[in-house]
Each structure stands twice: as structure tokens, then as C-alpha cells.
Amino acid sequence: QSFKAAYAGEEPRPSNLQCELSTMLEQDLGWKHIFEYRTAEGFSLDLAGPESKRAIEVGGPAHYLKEVTGGDYVVNGPTQFKARLLRRLGWTVAHVAFYEWDDR
């Protein structure tokens, strides 16, 4: 129970990027999804189609570390761990990084 509480304890705070992406996916591509979906295990998914177990996670700056040598962004440990757990639970999750969205 404490593991679930660690991941489910906070109220979601959607970013502007998350809201923009949600709107685009629904209006332009017709993908019906649930915004800030909480799985039975307690994981929060930014945009999710629970019946198909497909989701999109929007990675803001807090999900990354910056390499000292090359300056590239690297996904941090907690974000990698959550992605592994979701895959084990049968979810297919696409990730949209803030720095890639900004470069589009």
C-alpha cells in the first residue's frame, strides 16, 4: 500500500504542453482518451486509452537530467522505473519530451 501511495499521493498538475497535446490528439486525430487517468495500481497517466492500454506521457524538465559532457537530456531514474512497471502491466506508452515538442 505504501508503494501505491508514493506514486498516487499527489494531485495531478497538467502542464500547458499536456493540455495542448491532448487537444491536438482529440481534435486533429480523433483519439478519444482520458486526461490524467489513474490505473488500478495507482499510476497516473497523462493521456490514456484504458481499454487498449495505450497511453502518452508528457515528459517535462523534471523527468530529465542533463549530461555534463554533451549536454543531452537523459530520462531520470524514477521516470524509467515507472515506464518499466507500466510495460510489465501491459501498457504501451509513448513519451513526448518537452524539448522535442519545442523543436517541432
Side-chain angles (χ1 to χ4, degrees):
Q1 187 69 309
S2 61
F3 176 78
K4 184 176 178 180
Y7 274 90
E10 295 182 18
E11 282 298 313
R13 295 181 310 269
S15 68
N16 289 337
L17 169 55
Q18 205 174 322
C19 295
E20 183 181 336
L21 184 59
S22 175
T23 299
M24 185 204 68
L25 289 168
E26 189 153 344
Q27 289 180 355
D28 297 348
L29 300 177
W31 185 50
K32 301 292 183 203
H33 57 277
I34 298 173
F35 195 74
E36 293 294 348
Y37 177 74
R38 178 108 32 213
T39 69
E41 297 80 16
F43 293 106
S44 175
L45 293 166
D46 295 335
L47 313 170
E51 57 287 332
S52 63
K53 281 199 157 182
R54 294 181 190 272
I56 295 177
E57 285 281 272
V58 177
H63 293 270
Y64 296 90
L65 302 172
K66 206 159 190 184
E67 284 186 341
V68 177
T69 54
D72 294 332
Y73 288 101
V74 179
V75 178
N76 68 20
T79 301
Q80 289 181 34
F81 184 58
K82 179 181 175 184
R84 277 197 304 269
L85 290 173
L86 287 166
R87 277 194 304 274
R88 295 286 303 238
L89 293 168
W91 284 88
T92 300
V93 182
H95 297 269
V96 176
F98 75 97
Y99 59 91
E100 291 173 340
W101 186 264
D102 289 344
D103 287 345
R104 64 184 168 95

